[in-house]
């Protein structure tokens, strides 16, 4: 039997890592599942991951709301490390950090993955600047009044730790944004003349949408770094909410 790792990126169990789970692995709302996820949109027995030869296969168990891999609804799917599996409101990542890094280093093309324009095409990942909002827009509006206020009356040490954490997130996101390139062809490429097109006088940066395109493309490895960052934040959030779960983890 193969052993797999599932990381929970989003959902009530975010930040949890189910390591070295022997196949077959079932995912669902019931206690009898290998991975139980508390979400009413997830079926009692939602999906199953099993080994066939040397490949890992994901099967949707005729769930009510379906299973998506990299944004695409699937019934059967050969999983690759780094694949995103969406069940209900939960987003799972298949594979450990080491497995994902090894997979990207040995086969960065990933040409057999069906992905949406907003998630990726091999060997690069395409970020949609106009993301699709599904039938539950409240999930994308957790802070309608704007960003939350910083905590008050922190000690000097707490201020420094909070500053370090925000700097860590800021720098990681910045490195990913700097790696992105527009998918829009240059003006000279569109005209085929080899000469750049001069923009009309008075054109402001905000109006230059034709030079930006609708998508930004980043390398697949950088996209996985973004997913890893979100997982790290999920672990931070879970450790704050449930410190007892992490206090003895290194003992």
């Amino acid at each position: 039997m193969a052993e797999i790792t599932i990381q929970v990126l989003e959902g009530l169990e975010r930040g949890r890592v189910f390591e070295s789970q022997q196949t077959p692995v079932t995912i669902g709302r019931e206690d009898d599942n290998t991975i139980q996820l508390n979400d009413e949109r997830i079926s009692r027995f939602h999906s199953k991951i099993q080994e066939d030869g040397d490949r890992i296969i994901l099967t949707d168990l005729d769930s009510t709301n379906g299973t998506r891999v990299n944004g695409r609804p699937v019934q059967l799917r050969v999983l690759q490390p780094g694949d995103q599996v969406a069940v209900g409101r939960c987003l799972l990542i298949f594979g450990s950090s080491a497995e994902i890094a090894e997979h990207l280093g040995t086969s960065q093309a990933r040409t057999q993955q069906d992905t949406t324009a907003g998630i990726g095409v091999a060997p690069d990942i395409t970020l949609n600047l106009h993301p699709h909002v599904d039938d539950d827009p409240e999930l994308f509006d957790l802070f309608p009044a704007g960003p939350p206020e910083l905590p008050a009356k922190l000690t000097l040490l707490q201020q420094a730790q909070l500053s370090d954490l925000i700097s860590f997130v800021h720098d990681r996101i910045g490195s990913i944004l700097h790696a992105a390139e527009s998918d829009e062809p240059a003006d000279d490429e569109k005209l085929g003349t080899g000469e750049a097109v001069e923009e009309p006088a008075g054109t402001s940066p905000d109006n230059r949408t034709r030079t930006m395109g609708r998508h930004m493309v980043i390398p697949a490895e950088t996209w996985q770094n973004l997913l890893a960052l979100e997982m790290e934040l999920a672990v931070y959030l879970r450790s704050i909410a449930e410190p007892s779960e992490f206090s003895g983890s290194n003992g």
Side-chain angles (χ1 to χ4, degrees):
M1 292 181 291
E3 292 187 348
I4 65 171
T5 295
I6 297 291
Q7 305 179 58
V8 184
L9 203 61
E10 296 176 7
L12 292 178
E13 285 76 24
R14 66 182 179 188
R16 291 197 63 182
V17 179
F18 296 89
E19 293 183 295
S20 302
Q21 300 293 315
Q22 289 190 340
T23 56
V25 169
T26 59
I27 301 171
R29 205 173 64 246
E30 286 287 315
D31 293 341
D32 292 338
N33 287 282
T34 313
I35 298 177
Q36 181 196 14
L37 300 173
N38 295 303
D39 184 344
E40 70 275 10
R41 292 195 175 190
I42 294 177
S43 298
R44 293 171 58 249
F45 294 92
H46 197 103
S47 54
K48 182 178 183 179
I49 301 175
Q50 56 194 323
E51 182 184 15
D52 189 350
D54 60 348
R55 308 301 291 274
I56 301 298
I57 311 297
L58 169 72
T59 304
D60 180 80
L61 301 177
D62 294 324
S63 63
T64 301
N65 294 306
T67 302
R68 291 176 175 266
V69 175
N70 298 332
R72 292 279 191 175
V74 299
Q75 185 64 41
L76 284 170
R77 173 72 180 217
V78 177
L79 290 178
Q80 302 288 345
D83 277 347
Q84 305 164 65
V85 179
V87 290
R89 293 183 176 91
C90 298
L91 182 63
L92 315 176
I93 302 299
F94 173 69
S96 65
S97 299
E99 290 169 340
I100 294 171
E102 181 181 0
H103 177 69
L104 290 174
T106 57
S107 178
Q108 200 167 15
R110 301 169 68 181
T111 55
Q112 295 182 353
Q113 292 197 16
D114 293 325
T115 52
T116 65
I119 292 181
V121 291
D124 291 331
I125 299 299
T126 305
L127 298 180
N128 195 341
L129 295 180
H130 305 279
H132 170 71
V133 177
D134 67 6
D135 58 353
D136 194 353
E138 292 182 359
L139 294 176
F140 298 86
D141 198 16
L142 187 58
F143 301 102
E149 295 182 359
L150 289 172
K153 299 181 180 179
L154 296 177
T155 66
L156 182 61
L157 175 59
Q158 290 171 333
Q159 289 178 359
Q161 290 175 323
L162 180 59
S163 177
D164 286 346
L165 176 58
I166 294 175
S167 297
F168 166 75
V169 176
H170 180 273
D171 290 349
R172 285 289 186 91
I173 294 176
S175 66
I176 292 169
L177 294 178
H178 282 297
E181 296 181 355
S182 172
D183 69 341
E184 182 77 0
D187 288 330
D188 55 346
E189 293 177 354
K190 288 188 287 187
L191 291 179
T193 61
E195 297 179 359
V197 175
E198 184 176 348
E199 293 182 345
T203 301
S204 67
D206 293 338
N207 293 330
R208 293 172 183 168
T209 56
R210 63 187 179 86
T211 61
M212 287 187 62
R214 291 179 59 87
H215 303 87
M216 299 295 285
V217 181
I218 62 174
E221 183 177 0
T222 306
W223 172 255
Q224 292 297 335
N225 288 339
L226 180 59
L227 295 179
L229 172 61
E230 188 172 3
M231 184 62 192
E232 288 169 343
L233 293 177
V235 172
Y236 275 129
L237 292 171
R238 191 171 187 85
S239 64
I240 292 171
E242 302 178 18
S244 59
E245 182 177 334
F246 292 82
S247 60
S249 60
N250 295 325

